[in-house]
Structure formats: structure tokens, C-alpha cells
Amino acid sequence: LTQIAQRLAAPFGLSVRAETDVGAAFPRFVVDAGETVRSAIEKAARQRARVWRGVATGGGFSVARSAAV
């Protein structure tokens, strides 16, 4: 999840960090045609019961455990 988010965010100069264990790498992850970066990261995070949020202190975001878990 972190690698996916990092690759998708890199072209925009954004950093990514995980605040919790995000599990093993996805065996396969596909970004659908026309899907936004935000939507793709949210899709991956939901598959791991995680949420992503913007970081107020700079250009980046973090991945955290979902409140529902």
C-alpha cells in the first residue's frame, strides 16, 4: 500500500508515510483508466482497512488504521 501511494504521489512532489502496518505488498494493483490518484489510493487503502489523510505540515499524506477496525 505504501509503495503504491508513493509511486502515485511522486509525480506531484508529495511524500507518503505509514502510521501503521499496511500489510504485505499487493500481488497486483491496477489503476483504472480515468481514475484519479486520490481514488486509486483510497481504493488500495480500503482493501487494507486503512485510511489516508493529508498532512498539514507540508506536501504529503499518511496512511493510518481505519477507525472502524
Side-chain angles (χ1 to χ4, degrees):
L1 173 55
T2 305
Q3 280 185 318
I4 291 168
Q6 288 170 336
R7 285 186 170 183
L8 292 172
F12 303 98
L14 299 173
S15 62
V16 176
R17 70 184 167 97
E19 294 180 356
T20 186
D21 179 20
V22 294
F26 287 95
R28 182 167 185 242
F29 186 82
V30 176
V31 177
D32 298 322
E35 185 173 27
T36 65
V37 168
R38 177 184 177 141
S39 176
I41 294 172
E42 285 177 341
K43 176 175 66 175
R46 278 194 309 272
Q47 291 179 28
R48 295 291 165 87
R50 301 295 183 261
V51 295
W52 75 275
R53 59 179 173 224
V55 177
T57 59
F61 60 92
S62 62
V63 180
R65 181 174 292 276
S66 174
V69 173

